[in-house]
Amino acid sequence: MDNLTHSLVGALLGQAGLKTKTGLAMPALIIGANLPDVDAACFFWLEGQEHLGFRRGITHGPPALVLLPLILAGLLWGYDRWQAKRGKRPEGRLPVHFGWLYALSFIGCLTHPALDWLNVYGIRLLEPFSSQWFYGDTLFIIDVWLWALMGFATWFSLRREGKGENWIKPARVAIAVSLAYIGLNGAITVHAEEQGNKLVQHAYEIEPTMVVASPPPIKFWEREILFRRDATAEEGGGALYGKGMFDVFSGPVFFTRVGRMGESKNITLQSPKGSYGWQVLSTNFGDVERAARLVAKDDPEVAAFLFWSRMPVFVEGNCYRAPIIYDQRFSDPRAIGRFTVALPDVKCEEFPTD
């Protein structure tokens, strides 16, 4: 999720009563809720789309969720001691307890992967023990309804605290409502995927390999249904893929068939360490994807993209334009530019005549 959502979760936990446990509790919760995103520093040393294979990994896994809160608690404890030595420690600050600082930093950090798991982008929850991606498909990465709910509740709780009234209850109610909202969205996703699966089978008389219900921004009652079905070698190595819409109030909308079997031709991709040639189909998976993985052995950007991609789509190139790979989850024109990798230069070759 976005960092405003992470910060609001930390603040709301503090207003729910946790900030009474120790001095500097709110910084521990809010910073801790954002701390796993320290992996964003990878933009300084990785090129192109290589960051896709690095982010939401090592800093979101079990060892980091233990060590990062420890570092944060140590820094906050040291900061309190430093202020005290200089005589600038605020008089109203509660005594700082290192154990509670660590516990609250840990709680804040734990909320981060829990929220990141909720969208379609993916997260490697078990890194470095396993590089498996996990997907919740429950919320859009920026949820304005959570912003409104948690932002208002935090403001209202702080306002009541300033007046000497009960400020803990509003925050706890907001947390309960937020969890119910997330649960409702999870149920919508499950139902949308079930309906999408049935519709694909009915419309095309096939069993889809994958069906994903992707939450859109704002309209939490809708889902974009994405499907793909990998074809067998007997069918030519191609694939079918498509999308549709699901609305809680009107049900699923019939899918647009995007990929299909088609003509083929020979091309050769030039990589830094050699050339790879294969028969390219006008569909987007099968042999094409396997060939792209050969290129990935020599191209770290392609390798990172394929490692991250959940629903890779190969867009056929020609003599004047290199092929590209994008992910079906981010097929919106506004997103394709940020989630696309180009394969190496293409050299056209004619089919053998014999």
Side-chain angles (χ1 to χ4, degrees):
M1 303 292 289
D2 65 286
N3 291 107
L4 176 57
T5 301
H6 288 303
S7 300
L8 286 172
V9 168
L12 205 55
L13 287 172
Q15 290 302 120
L18 289 180
K19 74 176 186 180
T20 63
K21 303 300 182 182
T22 178
L24 297 177
M26 287 295 269
L29 287 164
I30 295 174
I31 298 174
N34 288 278
L35 200 53
D37 274 344
V38 69
D39 61 359
C42 72
F43 286 103
F44 290 110
W45 72 82
L46 296 180
E47 297 182 3
Q49 303 291 12
E50 290 183 54
H51 67 91
L52 293 173
F54 182 82
R55 297 218 53 201
R56 293 202 180 189
I58 190 66
T59 62
H60 292 63
L65 296 179
V66 174
L67 294 176
L68 289 176
L70 185 62
I71 295 172
L72 176 58
L75 290 173
L76 291 174
W77 183 80
Y79 175 72
D80 182 74
R81 295 285 296 269
W82 176 74
Q83 279 192 315
K85 288 181 180 180
R86 297 183 64 203
K88 293 188 176 182
R89 188 182 190 277
E91 294 182 3
R93 180 185 296 165
L94 294 174
V96 171
H97 188 282
F98 183 82
W100 269 113
L101 272 183
Y102 176 69
L104 298 183
S105 299
F106 180 68
I107 291 172
C109 277
L110 283 183
T111 67
H112 190 103
L115 286 173
D116 279 358
W117 170 75
L118 292 175
N119 50 60
V120 299
Y121 187 97
I123 181 174
R124 303 195 303 281
L125 291 169
L126 302 178
E127 199 73 74
F129 308 112
S130 170
S131 294
Q132 179 182 349
W133 289 90
F134 295 87
Y135 311 92
D137 301 338
T138 300
L139 298 178
F140 187 67
I141 194 169
I142 297 176
D143 192 297
V144 296
W145 303 107
L146 278 182
W147 278 3
L149 172 60
M150 294 191 297
F152 174 79
T154 302
W155 169 82
F156 187 66
S157 176
L158 287 168
R159 184 170 180 269
R160 296 196 69 172
E161 182 181 7
K163 292 183 175 181
E165 301 173 353
N166 185 344
W167 50 273
I168 294 178
K169 184 177 179 179
R172 292 181 177 178
V173 170
I175 291 174
V177 174
S178 297
L179 291 174
Y181 171 75
I182 292 171
L184 172 64
N185 274 271
I188 293 173
T189 290
V190 171
H191 182 61
E193 288 181 350
E194 291 175 350
Q195 294 300 307
N197 196 308
K198 292 178 181 178
L199 187 54
V200 171
Q201 294 184 51
H202 175 75
Y204 304 123
E205 298 182 348
I206 61 171
E207 183 73 31
T209 306
M210 182 185 301
V211 176
V212 173
S214 178
I218 302 178
K219 297 181 180 181
F220 68 87
W221 55 90
E222 292 183 357
R223 293 293 183 272
E224 182 180 39
I225 308 297
L226 309 170
F227 84 89
R228 61 176 285 178
R229 190 259 183 168
D230 295 329
T232 63
E234 291 76 15
E235 295 172 318
L240 297 175
Y241 68 103
K243 64 181 179 179
M245 290 299 299
F246 175 85
D247 188 303
V248 169
F249 305 105
S250 59
V253 178
F254 204 82
F255 291 98
T256 300
R257 193 176 198 170
V258 180
R260 65 179 66 223
M261 300 296 176
E263 298 298 325
S264 58
K265 64 182 180 182
N266 271 354
I267 65 171
T268 300
L269 295 186
Q270 305 291 340
S271 78
K273 296 184 179 180
S275 301
Y276 300 95
W278 69 87
Q279 190 178 66
V280 175
L281 304 174
S282 63
T283 49
N284 302 92
F285 306 107
D287 292 339
V288 173
E289 183 181 359
R290 284 192 288 273
R293 294 187 186 280
L294 288 175
V295 176
K297 294 180 181 180
D298 301 328
D299 191 317
E301 192 172 351
V302 175
F305 191 92
L306 289 176
F307 170 68
W308 163 81
S309 182
R310 183 183 184 186
M311 306 180 79
V313 177
F314 182 96
V315 178
E316 184 180 358
N318 53 41
C319 296
Y320 309 100
R321 185 195 67 211
I324 65 169
I325 306 174
Y326 70 90
D327 193 287
Q328 198 178 344
R329 295 169 297 172
F330 302 98
S331 58
D332 186 289
R334 293 169 296 180
I336 282 186
R338 294 183 291 113
F339 297 102
T340 303
V341 66
L343 294 178
D345 294 337
V346 176
K347 180 178 68 177
C348 288
E349 295 179 350
E350 294 182 359
F351 275 123
T353 55
D354 54 358

